[in-house]
Amino acid sequence: MAKSPSFTCTACGATHTKWSGRCDACGDWNTIVEDAGLSAGGKKSLGANRGAAIQLTDLQTEESPPPRTNSGIDELDRVLGGGLVPASALLVGGDPGIGKSTLLLQAAAQFARSGVKTIYVSGEEATAQVRMRAKRLGLSDAPVLLAAETNLRNILTTLEAERPGLAIIDSIQTMWSDTVDSAPGSVSQVRSAAHELTTFAKRKGVSVILVGHVTKDGQIAGPRVVEHMVDTVLYFEGERGHQFRILRAVKNRFGPADEIGVFEMTGRGLEQVTNPSALFLSERGKPSAGSVVFAGIEGTRPVLVELQALVAPSPHSQPRRTVVGWDGGRLAMILAVLEARCGIPFAGLDVYLNVAGGMKISEPAADLAVAAALLSAREDAALPEGAVVFGEISLSGALRPAPQTENRLKEAQKLGFTTALAPSGGKAIETSGIKVQQMHDLTSFVGEVFGAG
Ligand code: TYD
Ligand code: MG
């Protein structure tokens, strides 16, 4: 059977049987490239060659897991699920210039200082550049072993000889192997480099951290194409105009996913933010129309963020719906529920929704806060001072209780909030110093908060 060609989207990693200008999976244009180089040959069926028998084992034989190593950067350790697991492969993705190299150099220095033999291989910068950055960050004295190299064969040989505890490869897109017949950064090169490095990590007990740039360029494969190979995937997010950076675990074989670490980019590198709620709310003034504080949960930690909405008459026949930091589809749903269940139309009105501080929210529990922000903006009426909002809205207009209600309330109270607007039902809420106004459905919410609406 002739091998059918295979095509991969460099942005999302979806595979296709034929080339097209637009990827069906993620909707990006000009990101589909043909796979080449991998798995050449393979014409014979596998049964023809007898393989070696693999050793089978059971589930309960215990091998005491080697201890995790802490970096000493708490925000990073939390996202890792309590420290770095030996012999694991990690991917740190993010937009170019967001601060991946800075974070990893700081982490490398911390690990090296705590006694882990650490090798930092830069494929993008010369050693002098990395040294300069280390000097600026005050890390010059850390015993990190540094190299500038892009040839994977040389890197693996070196790692084999040196046997470090941790190897950082910055970035996977610059690595190339002479066994693969395509340019560095192509899907096949990136995949094969990641595969070599992760198998090396497992076999030799070396933890490997791969850096991957998120790219929209069709020629260069993004980190999505290697996500499935590694144990842990972290994304470094943030808005360019803001100094806040959020490190988010989207996959973690050794800990909870969805955990976040919050950092601030300063002149001396990235600094941890131990109280993100205070940071996200720090720019907030008096309560104003369209502004609502959402009591959210990120991973295991409660985080308060401000949602801002603006509703204005639209000059266009098709009004605008613009969302930053939340899901556009979900916004459309909330608007539809408000219209159908509460009789509050948004037709002919432009709607803008923004999550302050460059934060991205994916929790359904933000529904009610979004609805509150939209209504507050539409009615030009601010919510009561000192109120937080959370809860999921179903299509029927009913409100569903959110998980970890108690943690949300505790955090709100800690930051000086006095009232919470939340769905009723769920576990009995022990209120300690914060008044919880419970509501069954969106209509009663509108009635109680905005009068008859
Ligand atoms: P960098 O770590 O090089 O990004 P990446 O590896 O993700 O491409 O970060 C580059 C940006 O960080 C750059 O715009 C300058 C800024 N920066 C600071 O603000 N302070 C610092 O101490 C450092 C080292 C970088
Ligand atoms: Mg970099």
Side-chain angles (χ1 to χ4, degrees), residues 103-154:
L103 176 70
L104 289 175
L105 190 60
Q106 288 179 262
Q110 289 291 348
F111 280 120
R113 278 178 181 153
S114 60
V116 180
K117 185 169 176 182
T118 305
I119 296 187
Y120 185 99
V121 182
S122 177
E124 300 187 337
E125 291 160 294
T127 44
Q129 280 174 295
V130 181
R131 265 192 225 114
M132 244 162 62
R133 173 179 294 154
K135 192 170 165 206
R136 198 144 71 85
L137 300 175
L139 304 171
S140 301
D141 61 324
V144 176
L145 301 165
L146 180 66
E149 179 62 69
T150 56
N151 184 329
L152 194 64
R153 198 184 283 268
N154 295 348

Side-chain angles (χ1 to χ4, degrees), residues 250-273:
V250 297
K251 160 180 170 181
N252 196 347
R253 287 186 184 147
F254 310 116
D258 275 334
E259 195 68 81
I260 65 164
V262 185
F263 296 88
E264 190 175 355
M265 183 60 100
T266 69
R268 281 161 294 113
L270 289 155
E271 277 176 20
Q272 316 187 51
V273 174

